[in-house]
Amino acid sequence: MERADSRKSWASGAAVGLAIVLALTLSWRATGLYGLGVDGDAAWTLSAGSSLAQGGGLVTCLGEVFSLWPPLYPLSMAALETVGLDVLGSLRVLQLIALALSIALAARLAWNLSGSHVAAVATAGSLALSTRMHEYTVQVVSESFFQPLVLGSLLVALALAERFTRGRFVALVVLSALACLQRYLGVALVASIALFFVVSPSWGSFVSRLKRVAAFGALALAPLALWFLRNRLVEDKWTGGRDETPVSLGEALQAAWGTLVGWAGPAHLPASVGGIFVVVGALLLAGFTLRQPQARRAVLLLVLFSAVYVTLLVGMAANVVIDPIGDRLMLPLLPVLVALVWSALLGTWRTPTWLAGALVAAFWLDALPRTAERIDFWRREGAGGFHTRLWQEHPVTLALREVELVQPIWSNGAELVWLERGERAHFLRGGAKAWERAAKESAAAGGGTLLWFQDKGRPAANLDALEAHVQVRELVKVPDGLLLRLQPRP
């Protein structure tokens, strides 16, 4: 029996390893054209890290204090630049490592839940074939590092629930603190773990539990509190300041539900079918909890984390402006939910191996065409943001690489100017007033440069607003855009 169990363990470990290799191969190929995708937010983070490495503090390429997001991601970038490494090239490798860790830790979570080798392999394979996992590995986004920190914290918390040791406690504090410094929603992780241990008898009497939970919360949140204090001192705002949202509570809930439904439904069936799968998954999880008492502690922690995370996310979306609730903001729940569902599906009853294998194969075969299509698209067009053919092969971008720039620089692609030339640019909006302001400030500064990117003539330029205040000289004549030198009038 022991030999048979050992063979199963080796086989499942090898299968999880193959799933990880597949995932790394797919994501690596997806970034083969221009490297990692970089959007405006990513450019701000990259430039803040570069500014710090060069001694200028955490300041973005737009000259703004970096405070809208926590500091761990730009600090990582600053560390890479400080030791002389290519930041984007290094991140491409580090995010693959984070993807491998996320898949391995999720598979371990499924094993802890169900004791099923098949559930662990199913979890790893499902994540390896998930377009969502790849989409946020091939771009410069903070979720790539956030996921393994969350999964690692949850696994350490489960180990602590089995037996309290000082080493495990320290590991939990460190991982949770890092998660909060990577994403503000790491607070949901700390809160859910704290709630879990309040009711966990392994931490001693109720009074003892409260003391340990208070110590955990204080230590895990202390670095984030210091970051908030820094922001307050630097710009009199805790997190950069956010406007009130037009999104209602009902709309935020609907967006969260729609994301779950999108995850659950098969790729080639109507979206409404996903709702049925969500309900079936919840029923399976309830049955799993009833039939497998040894899994209840782990299920409680994961359900608590999911509930607290969604509650905090929806509450934020209904009060301040954040990114729309969708795949990206919900992504940290994906590995957790996949592990829960496969554990419930394969661990509730003694499912025959052939039937379990057939179920797993059916889900994988459904996901494979969509994933292959998406990876092929990224390979052909670029991984996203400014690292796509639209921007990289734009006539203005090609000219930008060759001409001399004079500060101040104005552009509707200010982040791309920094990415290509390492120079800060002012963001230029459409409309006569914005162009008039750019002209006046350039005239006051003794000259400047304007780069205007268009796609089939849009957005429209406002040359009349410029020429009323400065002399305009075309540096390079380009189709679908402008590259101009602005000079004061005599």
Side-chain angles (χ1 to χ4, degrees), residues 2-16 111 117 121:
E2 289 183 5
R3 186 173 298 176
D5 288 341
S6 178
R7 284 199 297 268
K8 287 182 180 179
S9 296
W10 277 103
S12 64
V16 169
W111 166 254
H117 296 290
V121 174

Side-chain angles (χ1 to χ4, degrees), residues 410 434-444 450 465-470 486:
W410 299 87
W435 285 60
E436 182 179 6
R437 186 179 67 251
K440 289 180 177 179
E441 292 187 16
S442 296
L450 186 146
L466 288 180
E467 292 172 341
H469 301 280
V470 292
L486 310 181

Side-chain angles (χ1 to χ4, degrees), residues 70-293:
L72 184 59
Y73 207 30
L75 288 176
S76 303
M77 298 167 181
L80 293 171
E81 184 170 334
T82 300
V83 298
L85 295 175
D86 174 68
V87 175
L88 282 173
S90 300
L91 282 176
R92 188 182 179 196
V93 175
L94 290 175
Q95 295 198 173
L96 289 178
I97 294 172
L99 175 62
L101 284 172
S102 296
I103 294 173
L105 293 172
R108 180 65 188 184
L109 204 56
W111 166 254
N112 282 11
L113 280 162
S114 63
S116 167
H117 296 290
V118 181
V121 174
T123 298
S126 297
L127 295 176
L129 292 173
S130 168
T131 56
R132 281 89 175 181
M133 293 292 287
H134 290 292
E135 183 171 1
Y136 301 107
T137 298
V138 304
Q139 298 183 63
V140 178
V141 291
S142 55
E143 284 76 13
S144 55
F145 292 172
F146 186 57
Q147 282 194 112
L149 291 171
V150 168
L151 294 168
S153 298
L154 293 173
L155 284 168
V156 173
L158 290 175
L160 264 172
E162 294 292 333
R163 184 168 62 90
F164 183 93
T165 68
R166 184 175 298 175
R168 290 175 178 175
F169 182 79
V170 170
L172 181 61
V173 167
V174 171
L175 288 171
S176 300
L178 290 175
C180 291
L181 291 177
Q182 184 69 4
R183 294 286 295 172
Y184 287 136
L185 282 165
V187 172
L189 176 70
V190 175
S192 56
I193 290 175
L195 288 172
F196 172 71
F197 280 120
V198 166
V199 299
S200 177
S202 63
W203 273 26
S205 67
F206 183 69
V207 173
S208 177
R209 274 179 265 165
L210 288 180
K211 289 179 179 178
R212 286 175 169 173
V213 164
F216 161 68
L219 293 170
L221 295 176
L224 184 61
L226 291 175
W227 171 250
F228 286 160
L229 179 60
R230 170 264 187 188
N231 294 341
R232 187 73 176 180
L233 293 174
V234 169
E235 57 178 0
D236 200 32
K237 298 172 183 175
W238 297 111
T239 60
R242 294 180 183 270
D243 296 329
E244 290 187 12
T245 181
V247 177
S248 68
L249 179 61
E251 289 170 335
L253 284 169
Q254 187 176 12
W257 171 254
T259 303
L260 291 175
V261 168
W263 289 353
H268 307 293
L269 292 179
S272 58
V273 176
I276 299 173
F277 276 75
V278 171
V279 173
V280 170
L283 292 174
L284 282 170
L285 184 59
F288 174 66
T289 307
L290 291 172
R291 292 181 62 89
Q292 303 292 343

Side-chain angles (χ1 to χ4, degrees), residues 448-468:
T449 310
L450 186 146
L451 300 95
W452 189 248
F453 295 84
Q454 294 177 320
D455 182 20
K456 299 177 183 178
R458 295 291 176 184
N462 285 275
L463 286 173
D464 290 344
L466 288 180
E467 292 172 341

Side-chain angles (χ1 to χ4, degrees), residues 283-355:
L283 292 174
L284 282 170
L285 184 59
F288 174 66
T289 307
L290 291 172
R291 292 181 62 89
Q292 303 292 343
Q294 77 282 357
R296 290 174 186 171
R297 182 180 291 169
V299 171
L300 173 62
L301 175 59
L302 300 187
V303 170
L304 266 177
F305 168 66
S306 302
V308 172
Y309 186 92
V310 171
T311 300
L312 183 58
L313 178 60
V314 168
M316 289 174 60
N319 284 279
V320 295
V321 173
I322 60 174
D323 291 340
I325 294 179
D327 288 340
R328 180 175 176 181
L329 289 184
M330 295 278 284
L331 189 70
L333 297 183
L334 182 60
V336 172
L337 296 178
V338 169
L340 278 170
V341 170
W342 277 122
S343 297
L345 187 60
L346 301 175
T348 305
W349 301 277
R350 297 181 65 86
T351 309
T353 303
W354 67 268
L355 179 57

